Amino acid sequence: TTTALATRALLGELKDGASAELEAAVRKGAAFLGSAQHEDGGIGPRFDQATMIGHAHALRALVEIGLRFPDAVRKEQVERAVAFALRARNPYRGWRYAITPDGDNDSKITAAMLLALHAVERMG
């Protein structure tokens, strides 16, 4: 979660003519997030109460980085992360802590996931 939020903050500071150092930091954050993706598409450590919120923040960060620096690898990472998120969603509801849908929902995690999925729509 921390890397995703920090990378998004740095990305927000990138403007035309931004420093190479700032761009390198964003790319380093993107590389870390990509390396934290599991085979099932989930991103980040598997802690009971932080897994899904961390995944949502990481997904949103990867999308926003992909909008700024498009590449095929990042697009594939985003697609796998979206599939993971959709598998974890409770039918006709939202998300909470569980990777396997269990009917329990949380407004904060659901909101974070919806913001990430909205960013995915912008990415196409």
Side-chain angles (χ1 to χ4, degrees), residues 1 38 43-56 84 88 95-102 104-106 108-109 113:
T1 303
H38 300 271
I43 304 170
R46 299 289 169 95
F47 298 125
D48 290 344
Q49 296 185 350
T51 300
M52 294 311 294
I53 193 80
H55 178 80
F84 175 85
W95 291 264
R96 187 155 178 150
Y97 307 134
I99 293 171
T100 304
D102 63 2
D104 200 8
N105 301 292
D106 179 89
K108 179 175 83 172
I109 296 169
M113 198 65 76

Side-chain angles (χ1 to χ4, degrees), residues 9-106:
L10 292 171
L11 189 61
E13 289 300 310
L14 276 178
K15 297 170 179 52
D16 292 334
S19 75
E21 185 178 88
L22 185 58
E23 185 176 326
V26 169
R27 290 184 184 277
K28 187 175 180 180
F32 177 80
L33 293 170
S35 73
Q37 189 168 42
H38 300 271
E39 289 295 320
D40 64 3
I43 304 170
R46 299 289 169 95
F47 298 125
D48 290 344
Q49 296 185 350
T51 300
M52 294 311 294
I53 193 80
H55 178 80
H57 287 303
L59 172 56
R60 188 172 178 192
L62 283 178
V63 169
E64 290 180 9
I65 294 162
L67 289 168
R68 178 69 187 239
F69 306 109
D71 76 29
V73 171
R74 192 159 300 108
K75 184 177 183 217
E76 188 269 333
Q77 290 169 338
V78 167
E79 288 172 353
R80 290 179 45 229
V82 168
F84 175 85
L86 296 178
R87 282 191 309 272
R89 182 176 174 251
N90 289 308
Y92 308 108
R93 292 195 166 79
W95 291 264
R96 187 155 178 150
Y97 307 134
I99 293 171
T100 304
D102 63 2
D104 200 8
N105 301 292
D106 179 89

